[in-house]
Amino acid sequence: MPELPEVETTRRGIAPAVVQQRIVDVKVRERRLRIPLTPDTERAVLGQWIQAVERRGKYLLIALERGVVLVHLGMSGSLRLVAVDTPPRRHDHVDLVLGNGRCLRFHDPRRFGLVHWIESPAEAHPLLCHLGPEPLSEQFDGQVLYQRAAKRRCAVKTLIMDSRVVVGVGNIYANEALFLAGIDPRRAAREVSIEQYQALAERIRQVLSAAIEQGGTTLRDFVREDGNPGYFAQALRVYGRDQKPCVICGAPIVQTRIAQRATYFCTQCQH
DNA sequence: CACAAGACCTGGCAGC
DNA sequence: TGCTGCCAGGTCTTGT
């Protein structure tokens, strides 16, 4: 699913329709999410006005008058805006029914995602308080990566996917950014130079920004708030391209596994 | 502290 | 047409 660009695409899609709306009903069809959805969430949320829709890493924060609804899309989740009378489909677990006759509907076949109400301040919540900087903010650069890499023998790919180091970089965009930066994903994090980390940080920002502009990457599950896919999949240079020619040098892209995750790279272009 | 591996789930697909 | 096994965009927890 959803890495940062898909979550940001969802945020931008739903915000105009839900901000300044009142939650007039909450329908829960499945409580067994990553965090079980308890009745106090419904009780707390009902009748409140939505103030804003923000994002922290891959979490969506629906800010209410009192507290915040945290939404995470896990691997297979999506949020859609539908008319109130739209019949639910399989795996449509939660509806927030709004005063304007629309409904924010959470769908997640694998149930790795969550919908969870918390009291403010959200930043202090255990799910959010250890998160690293936002990759598209001023707080993030090559220096941050280099410092955090200091004692770490894990692969550089694993480092940039660690949400305590930087948020939002999932498996697809980690592969893509390392390709664009010309860095072998298997390299030990502490062996990578500051110059290379500066290039890598720049490429992470670039690939995430480009993906947001395209509405994210749809491989199978992800849909935008209007039910349409994102279009960045066609721009992927290495992810999913095992044995296909490198777009730079033509050598076959190689697939391997790093920390249990599919990893794609060009042995000619990445060192 | 750093790291690897397992756990959580369902659905889609390849191969037999 | 089944059935089986493997794979998938993400974290969190456990054990070394």
Side-chain angles (χ1 to χ4, degrees), chain A residues 179 237-238 241-254 265-270:
Chain A
F179 174 76
R237 290 165 171 89
V238 286
R241 297 194 65 246
D242 186 28
Q243 305 283 70
K244 299 214 170 70
C246 169
V247 295
I248 294 176
C249 75
I253 297 299
V254 165
F265 67 106
C266 174
T267 55
Q268 301 299 305
C269 298
Q270 295 175 253

Side-chain angles (χ1 to χ4, degrees), chain A residues 214-227:
Chain A
Q214 295 293 305
T217 299
T218 296
L219 296 181
R220 51 186 75 81
D221 297 324
F222 178 70
V223 289
R224 306 172 58 158
E225 85 295 341
D226 57 7

Side-chain angles (χ1 to χ4, degrees), chain A residues 3-271:
Chain A
E3 302 185 32
L4 185 149
E6 293 73 42
V7 179
E8 179 61 18
T9 294
T10 298
R11 190 192 70 76
R12 294 180 185 184
I14 67 172
V18 309
V19 171
Q20 310 283 17
Q21 291 297 316
R22 202 162 82 98
I23 299 170
V24 298
D25 196 9
V26 182
K27 293 177 181 157
V28 179
R29 299 177 198 86
E30 175 60 80
R31 298 189 178 277
R32 295 171 300 165
L33 305 178
R34 188 175 117 204
I35 296 176
L37 202 165
T38 54
D40 43 286
T41 287
E42 288 136 277
R43 231 176 288 124
V45 156
L46 192 61
Q48 290 214 58
W49 291 80
I50 296 175
Q51 315 279 43
V53 183
E54 284 146 12
R55 180 187 57 72
R56 180 74 178 97
K58 297 173 191 167
Y59 288 89
L60 281 170
L61 287 72
I62 302 176
L64 308 179
E65 298 155 88
R66 187 172 67 92
V68 171
V69 179
L70 274 185
V71 178
H72 196 289
L73 301 179
M75 292 276 262
S76 59
S78 57
L79 276 177
R80 290 178 66 169
L81 281 165
V82 298
V84 228
D85 55 2
T86 307
R89 297 192 290 192
R90 192 159 152 76
H91 306 303
D92 283 344
H93 304 316
V94 184
D95 287 352
L96 297 185
V97 182
L98 307 175
N100 62 1
R102 305 188 78 182
C103 168
L104 187 61
R105 179 164 284 174
F106 175 76
H107 173 90
D108 185 12
R110 290 175 73 182
R111 289 190 276 123
F112 286 0
L114 60 88
V115 176
H116 180 61
W117 180 79
I118 59 175
E119 293 257 25
S120 303
E123 320 81 70
H125 191 273
L127 287 173
L128 303 180
C129 67
H130 298 297
L131 295 179
E134 287 288 330
L136 299 179
S137 75
E138 302 283 311
Q139 317 303 319
F140 175 69
D141 57 18
Q143 189 71 31
V144 168
L145 291 179
Y146 183 71
Q147 283 167 357
R148 298 300 303 268
K151 288 170 293 185
R152 300 192 55 174
R153 356 167 150 246
C154 66
V156 57
K157 176 168 180 261
T158 306
L159 181 85
I160 62 173
M161 291 179 66
D162 183 343
S163 63
R164 292 165 305 181
V165 174
V166 57
V167 296
V169 183
N171 199 34
I172 295 179
Y173 300 112
N175 279 292
E176 295 296 308
L178 285 159
F179 174 76
L180 292 171
I183 299 170
D184 186 326
R186 300 167 299 181
R187 295 255 319 268
R190 59 179 183 179
E191 312 285 326
V192 175
S193 70
I194 176 74
E195 291 80 13
Q196 287 181 304
Y197 274 125
Q198 277 156 354
L200 181 55
E202 204 42 54
R203 295 308 200 169
I204 288 171
R205 307 169 81 105
Q206 180 195 332
V207 74
L208 294 178
S209 303
I212 291 169
E213 282 177 29
Q214 295 293 305
T217 299
T218 296
L219 296 181
R220 51 186 75 81
D221 297 324
F222 178 70
V223 289
R224 306 172 58 158
E225 85 295 341
D226 57 7
N228 290 314
Y231 295 105
F232 196 71
Q234 60 201 53
L236 297 176
R237 290 165 171 89
V238 286
Y239 184 85
R241 297 194 65 246
D242 186 28
Q243 305 283 70
K244 299 214 170 70
C246 169
V247 295
I248 294 176
C249 75
I253 297 299
V254 165
Q255 177 178 359
T256 182
R257 287 192 96 72
I258 295 176
Q260 328 269 65
R261 313 301 299 274
T263 302
Y264 303 87
F265 67 106
C266 174
T267 55
Q268 301 299 305
C269 298
Q270 295 175 253
H271 298 288

